[in-house]
Amino acid sequence: MASPEVLWFGDTMSAVPLKNDKPAARHPRSVTVLGATGSIGDSTMDLLRSGGERYRVEALTAHSNVQGLAKLAREFNAGFAAIADPQRYDELKDALAGTGIACGAGESAIIEAAARPADWLMAAVSGAAGLKPALAAVDRGATIALANKECLVCAGDMFMQRAVQAGARILPADSEHNALFQALSSGNRDELTRVIITASGGPFRTWSAADIEQATLAQALKHPNWSMGQKITIDSASMMNKGLEVIEAAYLFALEPDQIDVLVHPQSIVHGLVEFSDRSVVAQLGAPDMRTPIAHCLGWPDRIAGPAAPLDLAKIGQLTFEAPDFARFPGLRLAFEALRTGRGATTVFNAANEVAVAAFIAQKIRFGAIARLVEATLEKWVRAGNLAPLTSADEAIAVDHKARNLAAALLPEIALKAS
Ligand code: NAD
Ligand code: MG
């Protein structure tokens, strides 16, 4: 937990369910997928496809890919389809003509999709834009597979507090956090001493700082192990993704920053480890395939068949581990600093990173400037005396917007500055 003054719940694990908190599984299960056309959305739809009659699709959403959304909505005979881009309503309506599938457009339609009564919801929008829709699901006490880490980084305390209040269950879908979730059930919450999340190290793991500074978009998009959306792939190259995940772990599992370690593990086979008081360390392993953690969330509290290749450790031969390099990957250092600072600093960290990644994609800044922009935004924010605990979604969103504006204002100066 970032800010010690926020006493947000007595039972620290009640939003991420405990091992003895297992409701009976019920089929067919109604499911909603927010961000159905993305990388996580695609893996989720794949699992639903294999599950056949076990699942009924309540609602699907996308940002602007109308044709992709309509195709999925038709295939799964969804109850509702929502497109975030308000200009695309007519196009979506035409694409669904004659199907009887209801549809909507704009942010309110995405929120409506989340609020509809599905038994299980995948939150896989990219970025802080996923916060309000995820909260709509939280507030109806939904069971939520949470992939959208930025919404936790943006408003983690408040998000988890609301989940506890509404009786929502948060199932961590991010591979490392899903590994921790699985490993945690080997002990009790008060026996946990430390968690370790692994990082592949990304495409620049062995690069010098000078080479990382100059890395191109094409180089940043070449992830060695995982196939993912564009933003998270760039975040993996800068290790900002691991920084976001450290913050995500702190909020999900109510951990202090010192209880979270990052371990570079280039093979991406061991995803997360939990250390208990007797010094036993329990890990979860699997091929780097997001369908495994998603299948765990979809089947929870049971296990379902997963399509990933079986793990062949003899073939892999060696699993290696290294300490992370905070100097070449300053984003990781900044994430820990923001987490320790609390009071909205992680919201600023996330907002500045989203602005920086967009600027890098638009070729307005060099790769090395991503972390510099985040650091400059955080520094200026703190110096201006803007730190304050976030108590509502509106406050978190206001900080997010203000921090984006600040980052955008600092952008030209950072773009000119050499490393
Ligand atoms: P993606 O870019 O491939 O897909 C994002 C989805 O969200 C798309 O369906 C898009 O249409 C929708 N979307 C984007 N902006 C939106 C907006 N403003 N309003 C409504 N919908 C919007 O991203 P992804 O790789 O699938 O990642 C999704 C989330 O899951 C991210 O938070 C990411 O960090 C997290 N995650 C991804 C992976 C992975 O392997 N891809 C792994 C762990 C966690
Ligand atoms: Mg991850």
Side-chain angles (χ1 to χ4, degrees), residues 360-377:
F360 174 67
I361 293 170
Q363 310 203 330
K364 288 187 193 151
I365 57 171
R366 281 195 294 218
F367 188 79
I370 295 176
R372 285 199 289 283
L373 182 62
V374 173
E375 183 151 31
T377 309

Side-chain angles (χ1 to χ4, degrees), residues 326-347:
F326 289 84
R328 283 184 305 128
F329 297 98
L332 198 49
R333 167 179 60 79
L334 292 168
F336 273 105
E337 284 174 15
L339 185 57
R340 288 197 173 92
T341 305
R343 292 164 293 155
T346 63
T347 316

Side-chain angles (χ1 to χ4, degrees), residues 402-417:
K402 203 170 156 189
R404 277 168 204 271
N405 289 339
L406 177 58
L410 292 169
L411 194 67
E413 188 188 321
I414 296 291
L416 291 176
K417 228 187 248 172

Side-chain angles (χ1 to χ4, degrees), residues 149 174-177 232 241-242 245 248 290:
K149 65 193 75 172
D174 203 348
S175 55
E176 298 77 1
H177 306 74
I232 184 174
N241 182 51
K242 215 45 57 181
E245 291 185 352
E248 181 186 14
M290 280 309 292

